[in-house]
Every structure is written in C-alpha cells, then in structure tokens.
Amino acid sequence: MMTQAEREAAYERVRRALGVDQIGTGPDARPLPSRRGREPQQGSALAIESEVYAAVKLYEYGEIWGRPGLDLPTRCFISVAVVAAMGHEDQLYRQINSALNIGITPEEIHEALLQVSVYGGISAWEQGVGVADEVFVSRGVLPPGDGVTVELKAPMSHDDRKSAAERVMAALGAGRLGLTDDAPMLQPLPGSGGMAPDPFPVGQELAWIGGHYGYGEVWGRPGLELRTRCFLTMAILQVMHENDQLQFHVNNALNLGITPEEIHEGLVQAGLYGGTSGWSNAANVARHVFTQRGVAGTS
C-alpha cells in the first residue's frame, strides 16, 4: 500500500508520462479538444464533490496506474479494451489519446479494437473505431472526413485462416494446463458445465465460424503480440462477467508465460474502469486456475 506522499508522486509521474488530456507529453503540449464541442469533465463545482473528484483521480493515476507490476503500454491497452467493451465513448476518447502519447500506434489501436470485436461484438468495434477516428482527427493524424488510413492487410483465405487458428491455439495451449500434447485439460469452474461443445449442428457451425474468426482472423494477425492480445482478452471478459471464457484465457495467459502477479495487475487495471465487483469476481476465477496449476497467487 502506498503512502500519501508516494501516491501523489506516482500521480504526477504517470499523468506526465501519459500526457493526460493533452496532445503530446511535453510542457508545451496543447489540450486535447473536447468531443463534438462538449466541454471536458472537470468535476463538480460543489466543494465537497470537487474534493471527491480529486481523490478519485489520485487513486486512478497514483494508486493503480502507478503500480510497478505492469508497464504503461500494457495498462493503456487494458484500459482501451475495457472502456471500448463497455461502450464508454468519452473515456475511450481520452484513453486512446493517452495511448498515442506513449507511442502506441494508430495501427495498434485498431488491432486492439478488433480484439474487442471477438468477445464484445462487432458493434463495440464499430463504435470504438468511430471514437478512434475522432482522436486521430483531433491530433492531425487524419484530415477531417478521411476515415481510417491504417495499412490494409490482405484478407485471409480459408486455408490461411485455418492454419493461423491452429498455430495460435497451439501457441496458447488452448484448454490445457501447459503446452505439451499430454498436458492435463483445464477443469471447469465449480458448478459450471465449462465450454462443452454444442451438440446441435447449428451450434457447431457457429463455434467453427467463431473459432476461425477469433483465433485465425484476429488472434492470427501480426499487428499485436500474443501477450498483448491475452491481456486485452482477459480485460474484456472480466467486464463482461464471462467467467468460463475468462478462466480459459487466464489459463492461456499462464501457458504463454504471463505470471500470476501480472494477471492480477491486469485484473486490477481492468477493475479500475470496469468496477471493483467485477475485479473481485475475476480474481476468484483466476484463483481457480492457479489452484489447478499449483502456482503462486492462490491465496
């Protein structure tokens, strides 16, 4: 737990590094324009609420963003994923701007939003892309009205998609407690049927489409490392309270070499914007995976 002095120092350091609500991080950086003419939120004019607002910001950037367990780019990706999945456009506008300030590229922002589409739906992706373009226009990355200018990637063929899905699932050890073919299978959460196959043909067909789109078309793209995609996915599933899927992807993250401590830090970062009850729920899900694997983080 930080002291008040440590919290205040972390607050100043993190906000300066992120260039919060500024275009750039230098002393002469200009303010980020408000969205569609709306004034940016500055807290309540009432003294008591202004004090609470200041305390919340100190907690946000000092106590959480200032923790040493994850680097700032990873925290940015998690934050973008959470608010995009929840449809919080104003916060997404600010988080995307901060991500650009620390060197995350427009292409990487779009890759993160595509990752959101796999678990949060196509509508969340479309909404997120619209907000991202607003940020790009505000920063001069795009002229007004020009739309997305990220480099287009050739669409995958059926065979390419199948090959990419198999490669990604093998790299993640999907559903197994380790990366070897004889590693034990991940056991479902207590009281849950887990991710059992749908016995109906239409369900099997949809699962096939979802798997090939998710693991082949999106996870298989070269624009982000698998490690980053793992953190994005866990954050999205946490705020959607998708416990079975979250357990599956916490296990994948461990298979990829992400530590239990890093997973907990990711859950805390997602909980900052998605709520502490969701964080507590996600921590319980993660603990069940840690227990099966006999690793640290089970207490």
Side-chain angles (χ1 to χ4, degrees), residues 15 31 44 46-47 61 67 91 96 122 124 131 142 175 190 230 240 252 265 295:
R15 285 183 63 92
S44 171
L46 295 175
Y61 291 107
R67 291 168 63 90
Q91 185 64 234
I96 289 174
I122 298 297
V131 175
L142 297 176
C230 275
M240 295 177 65
N252 288 346
E265 286 295 331
V295 298

Side-chain angles (χ1 to χ4, degrees), residues 9-20 22 24-26 101-102:
Y11 170 87
E12 295 295 340
R13 171 177 55 81
V14 170
R15 285 183 63 92
R16 187 165 53 248
L18 293 175
V20 175
Q22 295 180 327
T25 58
N101 281 345
I102 65 167

Side-chain angles (χ1 to χ4, degrees), residues 3 36 112 120 132 151 160 163 199 210 219 222 252 297:
T3 66
R36 294 187 289 273
E151 180 182 355
D160 290 339
S163 176
W219 279 84
N252 288 346

